[in-house]
Amino acid sequence: MITNKELNEVSLSPTKKDYYQIWNELLELASKISTRWSPDSTNESDPGIVLLKSLVAIADKLNYNIDKNTLEAFMPSATQQESMRKLTEMMGYSMKYYRAANCKVSISYKDDNEVSLSTLGTIYFPKFINIKNEEEDINYVTIEDFTLQESEPIRQINALEGELVECETDTDNIISMTHLDDNNRYLLPETNVAENGIFVCNIVDHVEGMSRESDYWKPVDNLNTQLPGSLVFKFGFDSNENLPYIQFPDDISQLIKDGLKIKYVRTNGLMGNVSARTLCKMEVPALWGTATDENIKNLTAENFNVVNNSAATNGADPETLTEAYNGFKKTIGTFDTLVKCRDYMNKIYQM
């Protein structure tokens, strides 16, 4: 946490001049400049006094701005999100944004269904199936493909809290170079975006409901450490636009090909955490409605058992300035300076 010593060191005025200090300096200066007029021997309505106090007010405001801008350059005294983000990123630490809670969801085919699982053979589940609670006011979305079959009648699937949203454009929701700014950034359209719930893929690789894990681009913390040709992106937050963004590598013009599809999870952050056995319903994939097998086509959510056996507790809101500073101190200067595997293990045990 921020110590009192750190606060005392950075809370001082760098200019060390406030209104009264400047006023006293001007009074002393006026007495040296003129022997015919003295501020001490006149009244408040004197034009000279009015002019001096106006100058003092302007100087006080300028000094305040100098102090404020100077203090924004140090983590313990920064008061603006933009300042802290720039400082921490410059030092190798990225401030955490909204994070969607995740948990394992158990999905199984009910034993009492009219058609047995052995008859159905293999039931394919694509990514992004909605999982809900009884009241249907909580939504999680699965983030991996899987199948159910007689040899694997129950699967534990990773799911993220929130609603999956596809970025919209006027060209069939295809993201092209024209949608990126000069820094190869794409601004996401809303604030409640989970930084751990962004999915980017090329449209040539993307078939709805049939994408493989390797089709999706990988999120990284530092684009500069990646080899040319890497399908990666970096998450960030633009304080001026007050919107999150994803940034692509310098060779994006070669990587983007015919365009990208970008989906993200709209999350409730900390409020999205749920206790065990809260989730109990699912929405059937749309592709089942086009299946050639009538048994698959007739499947409904009632044919499956759905439950989260463990709680989801890692959903989080964006870091505050104090949390970011503490996270920076915990990461930089600790893990980045440890040199042996045993050092890392010992530090983890201490935490």
Side-chain angles (χ1 to χ4, degrees):
M1 59 182 296
I2 300 177
T3 65
N4 291 330
K5 181 177 181 295
E6 289 171 324
L7 286 175
N8 291 334
E9 288 175 350
V10 298
S11 61
L12 299 175
S13 166
T15 60
K16 293 184 170 53
K17 289 185 179 181
D18 59 14
Y19 181 93
Y20 297 102
Q21 289 171 314
I22 299 171
W23 172 248
N24 291 329
E25 287 183 5
L26 278 183
L27 290 180
E28 183 179 350
L29 180 62
S31 64
K32 293 179 180 179
I33 293 176
S34 174
T35 58
R36 301 179 59 185
W37 179 82
S38 173
D40 295 329
S41 60
T42 185
N43 55 50
E44 290 290 321
S45 62
D46 188 297
I49 296 295
V50 174
L51 179 59
L52 284 181
K53 290 197 171 184
S54 298
L55 292 173
V56 172
I58 294 172
D60 182 44
K61 175 61 176 173
L62 292 175
N63 283 337
Y64 170 80
N65 291 340
I66 293 172
D67 291 346
K68 184 68 174 174
N69 290 331
T70 301
L71 294 175
E72 286 297 313
F74 300 94
M75 289 187 198
S77 57
T79 61
Q80 303 296 319
Q81 284 277 342
E82 183 179 10
S83 302
M84 183 62 83
R85 285 187 178 278
K86 288 180 178 178
L87 288 169
T88 54
E89 186 166 342
M90 184 170 57
M91 298 299 292
Y93 177 82
S94 296
M95 284 183 65
K96 302 297 187 297
Y97 196 61
Y98 282 106
R99 294 191 65 81
N102 72 284
C103 66
K104 291 279 189 180
V105 178
S106 174
I107 299 179
S108 61
Y109 189 70
K110 289 183 177 179
D111 295 333
D112 57 354
N113 288 318
E114 292 183 3
V115 181
S116 67
L117 189 55
S118 59
T119 302
L120 289 171
T122 298
I123 308 175
Y124 172 72
F125 293 76
K127 286 182 180 67
F128 312 136
I129 298 172
N130 288 322
I131 308 293
K132 300 178 180 293
N133 63 337
E134 184 66 38
E135 294 77 19
E136 299 190 3
D137 56 354
I138 297 174
N139 193 83
Y140 275 61
V141 60
T142 62
I143 56 174
E144 55 184 310
D145 304 339
F146 67 99
T147 59
L148 289 182
Q149 50 194 344
E150 190 172 13
S151 59
E152 286 185 295
I154 302 176
R155 296 294 302 274
Q156 300 288 330
I157 306 303
N158 287 310
L160 288 177
E161 181 274 325
E163 176 187 358
L164 189 72
V165 180
E166 183 172 342
C167 293
E168 298 180 354
T169 70
D170 53 2
T171 53
D172 296 328
N173 296 345
I174 297 173
I175 309 299
S176 63
M177 289 298 297
T178 59
H179 297 101
L180 309 183
D181 64 14
D182 294 338
N183 294 315
N184 298 326
R185 303 185 314 171
Y186 177 78
L187 280 176
L188 295 165
E190 57 182 317
T191 56
N192 284 50
V193 175
E195 66 173 308
N196 61 331
I198 297 177
F199 307 92
V200 179
C201 64
N202 290 88
I203 59 171
V204 292
D205 297 329
H206 182 80
V207 179
E208 189 64 37
M210 296 293 289
S211 297
R212 301 183 307 277
E213 189 68 29
S214 58
D215 293 337
Y216 287 86
W217 293 39
K218 179 183 176 183
V220 296
D221 292 330
N222 191 339
L223 293 173
N224 295 322
T225 62
Q226 304 301 309
L227 295 174
S230 300
L231 300 181
V232 296
F233 65 89
K234 178 182 181 298
F235 180 87
F237 183 82
D238 190 317
S239 299
N240 294 324
E241 298 290 341
N242 198 33
L243 286 173
Y245 65 83
I246 51 178
Q247 185 173 13
F248 296 100
D250 291 337
D251 57 347
I252 181 61
S253 58
Q254 284 77 46
L255 302 175
I256 200 169
K257 298 180 181 178
D258 294 327
L260 303 173
K261 287 282 188 177
I262 299 177
K263 296 180 180 180
Y264 62 88
V265 172
R266 180 193 294 139
T267 182
N268 293 310
L270 184 64
M271 297 298 295
N273 292 328
V274 295
S275 58
R277 310 191 71 81
T278 298
L279 306 175
C280 58
K281 294 182 178 181
M282 79 171 195
E283 293 181 1
V284 299
L287 63 85
W288 288 359
T290 61
T292 55
D293 188 328
E294 288 297 321
N295 289 325
I296 297 291
K297 185 180 294 187
N298 293 330
L299 288 175
T300 68
E302 300 301 322
N303 295 120
F304 300 89
N305 292 312
V306 179
V307 65
N308 62 309
N309 292 310
S310 59
T313 60
N314 54 358
D317 293 338
E319 282 187 323
T320 64
L321 300 183
T322 300
E323 289 170 342
Y325 181 54
N326 292 335
F328 163 79
K329 290 198 297 183
K330 181 184 293 186
T331 304
I332 307 301
T334 301
F335 290 105
D336 287 356
T337 58
L338 300 176
V339 294
K340 296 181 180 178
C341 181
R342 174 58 60 183
D343 294 327
Y344 284 91
M345 294 172 65
N346 289 340
K347 192 60 187 180
I348 291 172
Y349 291 146
Q350 292 174 18
M351 295 170 61

